[in-house]
Amino acid sequence: NAGVTQTPKFRVLKTGQSMTLLCAQDMNHEYMYWYRQDPGMGLRLIHYSVGEGTTAKGEVPDGYNVSRLKKQNFLLGLESAAPSQTSVYFCASSRTGGGLKNTEAFFGQGTRLTVV
Amino acid sequence: LAKTTQPISMDSYEGQEVNITCSHNNIATNDYITWYQQFPSQGPRFIIQGYKTKVTNEVASLFIPADRKSSTLSLPRVSLSDTAVYYCLVGESGGSQGNLIFGKGTKLSVKP
């Protein structure tokens, strides 16, 4: 049982390049999330999904796109990377969402992305 | 939106009890209060959740007063390994149920 797996773990991009971060979960969770974490800023929600085929904007969605074509996968895309997108990205999933009981989110190990 | 406010940082010594208080004045009726712990270079992990009064597990206790406008995470007899960032979450109920907001958390430093 792998839980939440993020690919890749590290990546260096040049400004203007594109890339896709993959998040896979094997817990049959409905909800999935992408966060970024920068020093002193805590975790900020980029996009989230409440089920297969759905996506929604979080706190800081600009410059990112997401897709949830399969229930177990949540992809985060950077179409034209910028140095401001240098960050650690975390993916998470949960069975339920929001403030409901038993909304326990499970996190991946993170992707460290550097844009030069 | 139930916004939370918690101290940016706290210091403690090994063996002490640590209490971290979180304010959430706009908590909704259906919202639960959840705390997560994040060690350096790792993703956060769930530690405790409650709705009212007191909840205790093997890691921590959570105290919630009757008005539910605040909550206190209590860590008994902390050790160096409890050095981490602690997040208080009160998720949105209703339409935006996926909007799981973490914020900046409280950085706890435990010293020998």
Side-chain angles (χ1 to χ4, degrees), chain B residues 45-108:
Chain B
R45 68 165 188 154
F46 171 97
I47 50 174
I48 199 165
Q49 184 182 70
Y51 184 80
K52 61 180 179 180
T53 62
K54 177 183 174 182
V55 179
T56 298
N57 62 23
E58 65 278 4
V59 177
S61 294
L62 179 59
F63 298 93
I64 305 167
D67 66 6
R68 304 201 328 122
K69 293 183 183 299
S70 67
S71 59
T72 298
L73 176 73
S74 180
L75 304 173
R77 297 181 297 282
V78 294
S79 65
L80 296 176
S81 62
D82 292 315
T83 293
V85 178
Y86 293 83
Y87 298 92
C88 167
L89 274 71
V90 178
E92 285 189 340
S93 58
S96 301
Q97 292 184 358
N99 214 350
L100 207 58
I101 302 297
F102 272 74
K104 297 183 179 181
T106 297
K107 186 175 182 179
L108 173 65

Side-chain angles (χ1 to χ4, degrees), chain A residues 60-71:
Chain A
V60 288
D62 293 344
Y64 304 94
N65 57 76
V66 287
S67 63
R68 183 101 180 267
L69 298 179
K70 294 182 179 180
K71 186 177 184 179

Side-chain angles (χ1 to χ4, degrees), chain A:
Chain A
N1 190 343
V4 178
T5 303
Q6 292 183 229
T7 309
K9 290 184 171 50
F10 302 93
R11 184 72 184 268
V12 178
L13 281 180
K14 294 183 178 179
T15 298
Q17 286 185 322
S18 64
M19 78 163 294
T20 300
L21 281 67
L22 171 63
C23 177
Q25 53 97 1
D26 61 3
M27 296 172 282
N28 201 34
H29 285 169
E30 289 292 337
Y31 295 76
M32 297 189 73
Y33 316 82
W34 275 108
Y35 295 88
R36 62 176 290 173
Q37 186 165 41
D38 304 295
M41 299 299 293
L43 280 162
R44 292 184 290 173
L45 182 64
I46 304 172
H47 286 280
Y48 63 95
S49 168
V50 300
E52 181 178 314
T54 75
T55 63
K57 294 180 180 180
E59 301 174 278
V60 288
D62 293 344
Y64 304 94
N65 57 76
V66 287
S67 63
R68 183 101 180 267
L69 298 179
K70 294 182 179 180
K71 186 177 184 179
Q72 63 267 33
N73 296 335
F74 196 27
L75 278 62
L76 178 71
L78 286 73
E79 291 185 348
S80 179
S84 60
Q85 294 177 304
T86 294
S87 187
V88 179
Y89 292 85
F90 287 101
C91 174
S93 71
S94 64
R95 185 177 62 83
T96 59
L100 301 178
K101 187 178 181 180
N102 294 326
T103 302
E104 178 179 351
F106 293 84
F107 281 78
Q109 287 301 299
T111 296
R112 186 172 296 274
L113 175 65
T114 302
V115 182
V116 298

